[in-house]
Amino acid sequence: MTEFSLSDLESVIRERAHSGDPDSWTAKLFARGIDKAAQKLGEEAVETVIAAVGGDRQALVSESADLIYHWLVVLGVAGIPLADVLTELERRTSRSGIAEKASRQDRG
């Protein structure tokens, strides 16, 4: 099995986003804008939580894939590259989670 990364998925989403393919869910989400993309992200987040709480391993795997896909679509529609999120995560790992969270609360 080859290694498939979030960057690979981001590239696929970027390619399909403005393809005009009537059968592309990605193209449809981009055409409908941030409100629809964010709505789908929220729905997938709830479905992921339900699968986790229900202890359904396969559903959790499937819903997690949907969640990550829709999260990357939202980032794409918003014009935010995955690299920006990864940079932020890297910045946050330079100190403890408690200290990092406290610093965000201090910013308002």
Side-chain angles (χ1 to χ4, degrees):
M1 181 171 152
T2 62
E3 187 71 27
F4 185 75
S5 71
L6 291 179
S7 294
D8 293 334
L9 181 56
E10 180 184 42
S11 294
V12 169
I13 289 168
R14 189 173 34 251
E15 290 170 14
R16 293 180 182 171
H18 305 289
S19 67
D21 181 351
D23 295 325
S24 169
W25 177 242
T26 303
K28 287 179 184 182
L29 283 173
F30 268 77
R32 293 178 77 179
I34 194 70
D35 289 350
K36 182 62 176 178
Q39 175 192 346
K40 289 302 297 175
L41 176 61
E43 290 171 7
E44 297 303 339
V46 170
E47 291 171 5
T48 302
V49 169
I50 291 168
V53 171
D56 185 338
R57 185 181 193 290
Q58 184 52 49
L60 181 55
V61 169
S62 179
E63 295 302 339
S64 294
D66 290 346
L67 177 63
I68 290 169
Y69 162 79
H70 285 91
W71 169 64
L72 287 173
V73 168
V74 167
L75 289 179
V77 172
I80 299 171
L82 174 61
D84 288 2
V85 176
L86 296 176
T87 298
E88 177 63 12
L89 286 170
E90 182 178 35
R91 183 192 67 75
R92 291 181 183 191
T93 60
S94 67
R95 56 184 154 167
S96 79
I98 293 170
E100 193 285 321
K101 186 171 182 177
S103 75
R104 285 188 283 139
Q105 291 171 344
D106 292 343
R107 290 184 278 185

